[in-house]
Amino acid sequence: MTHFSQTHGLRLGVNIDHVATIRNARGGRHPDPIRAAQLAVEAGADGITAHLREDRRHISDDDITRLKRDLTRPLNFEMAATDEMVAIALRHLPHACCIVPEKREERTTEGGLDVVGGANELQRPIDQLKAAGMRVSLFIEPDERAVAASARLGADIVELHTGAYCEMDLRGDAAGLAEQLARHQLAAKLAHDAGLEVHAGHGLTFNSVGAIARIEQIVELNIGHFLIGEAIFGGLHGAISRMRGLMNEARASVGGRKTA
Ligand code: PXP
């Protein structure tokens, strides 16, 4: 049985997809995402996130098998709501399944799930995963209607898509940043009040993590691309421990000690 450690009530899930992206650029086994996952745990990750895409552009089926076999921390399995992915999840029984929208032509997961319009297609996979004892997370926009729809669908968790917030941060758009932050604060509160566990992620950096980490209702951040990129300059351990430190500092500054 794997357990989350609780550091200031805010967990860090490290997404290792892009270690696999680099490996796949040449084929072969190097760099190995499972080795990166183990190093991430040593550096302060509370869990590991991996997205098995329909086109297998980064994480492979074998990576999921090995993660499930070797990992000492919970695996958050990101997946599209397809029969194929549900079958894979049922075979491996990860700690949690995060359902994400997936389009072949996109470079990354560009927005949250259409939980309002697409509720009918989401209900069955959610029910199947939950019936097998997995925690189900929905990757949504920080939006009131999306939160309400997620609660109606019976999700355990919502993960707020921080992409637009991070984009404002990169652009240095202070007004846009404030607006996006307010959306996350409201969505997190509404989700928590509706009994949903709240996570967030996408595009977070050393610079943008603080304000999101200060939202008390959020108990987990999932971060990947920036950490793997930073690892080129200072190593994976250094990048993760710095991120962990910034999260702890931010959370300590609001005195929040929420547990999942
Ligand atoms: N959370 C979810 C649901 C995602 O799909 C991703 C990207 O795969 C992340 C978090 C991490 O985003 P990033 O790699 O930009 O940190």
Side-chain angles (χ1 to χ4, degrees):
M1 179 72 184
T2 45
H3 292 280
F4 281 121
S5 70
Q6 295 284 334
T7 314
H8 295 288
L10 182 61
R11 303 186 296 256
L12 170 61
V14 171
N15 180 315
I16 53 160
D17 291 352
H18 297 301
V19 179
T21 301
I22 298 169
R23 175 197 58 195
N24 295 358
R26 283 289 172 93
R29 301 185 72 85
H30 185 76
D32 180 12
I34 286 71
R35 183 174 162 204
Q38 284 160 339
L39 186 60
V41 169
E42 283 165 29
D46 300 293
I48 296 297
T49 294
H51 183 179
L52 185 67
R53 278 184 168 266
E54 184 199 9
D55 62 8
R56 308 304 197 266
R57 70 174 71 159
H58 37 56
I59 292 293
S60 68
D61 296 69
D62 183 54
D63 291 332
I64 298 296
T65 303
R66 293 172 62 227
L67 280 169
K68 216 16 217 144
R69 192 189 62 205
D70 298 341
L71 204 59
T72 55
R73 291 291 161 105
L75 174 64
N76 178 32
F77 179 62
E78 281 184 18
M79 52 175 273
T82 62
D83 289 344
E84 182 200 14
M85 289 301 151
V86 169
I88 292 171
L90 292 175
R91 210 161 53 239
H92 291 291
L93 299 177
H95 172 82
C97 293
C98 180
I99 303 183
V100 302
E102 204 174 295
K103 294 195 236 60
R104 275 204 174 228
E105 62 279 11
E106 70 189 353
R107 247 187 266 167
T108 179
T109 312
E110 282 162 3
L113 282 166
D114 179 11
V115 271
V116 179
N120 288 344
E121 292 86 75
L122 289 168
Q123 192 67 70
R124 196 166 69 103
I126 292 171
D127 292 345
Q128 288 173 309
L129 297 168
K130 284 188 64 168
M134 286 171 276
R135 291 176 61 65
V136 176
S137 172
L138 301 179
F139 192 38
I140 61 167
E141 290 298 315
D143 170 82
E144 198 171 327
R145 291 199 324 145
V147 169
S150 303
R152 279 198 301 276
L153 282 161
D156 301 294
I157 304 163
V158 283
E159 178 160 335
L160 305 179
H161 193 309
T162 51
Y165 167 78
C166 293
E167 187 55 38
M168 295 300 156
D169 180 63
L170 291 175
R171 277 196 228 157
D173 179 338
L177 194 65
E179 188 189 321
Q180 285 298 330
L181 184 60
R183 290 183 74 210
H184 284 80
Q185 288 164 332
L186 177 62
K189 182 176 182 321
L190 292 172
H192 182 261
D193 290 350
L196 293 158
E197 185 172 310
V198 191
H199 300 178
H202 206 281
L204 290 167
T205 64
F206 292 149
N207 205 45
S208 53
V209 76
I212 296 293
R214 277 192 287 276
I215 301 175
E216 281 186 84
Q217 294 87 0
I218 295 178
V219 297
E220 180 173 312
L221 299 181
N222 285 302
I223 311 179
H225 183 268
F226 178 79
L227 289 173
I228 306 308
E230 273 299 298
I232 292 169
F233 306 110
L236 189 57
H237 194 288
I240 292 171
S241 36
R242 182 161 170 211
M243 189 62 86
R244 176 79 268 176
L246 290 167
M247 287 166 55
N248 291 354
E249 241 172 66
R251 187 49 72 100
S253 75
V254 287
R257 284 193 85 79
K258 284 236 174 345
T259 50

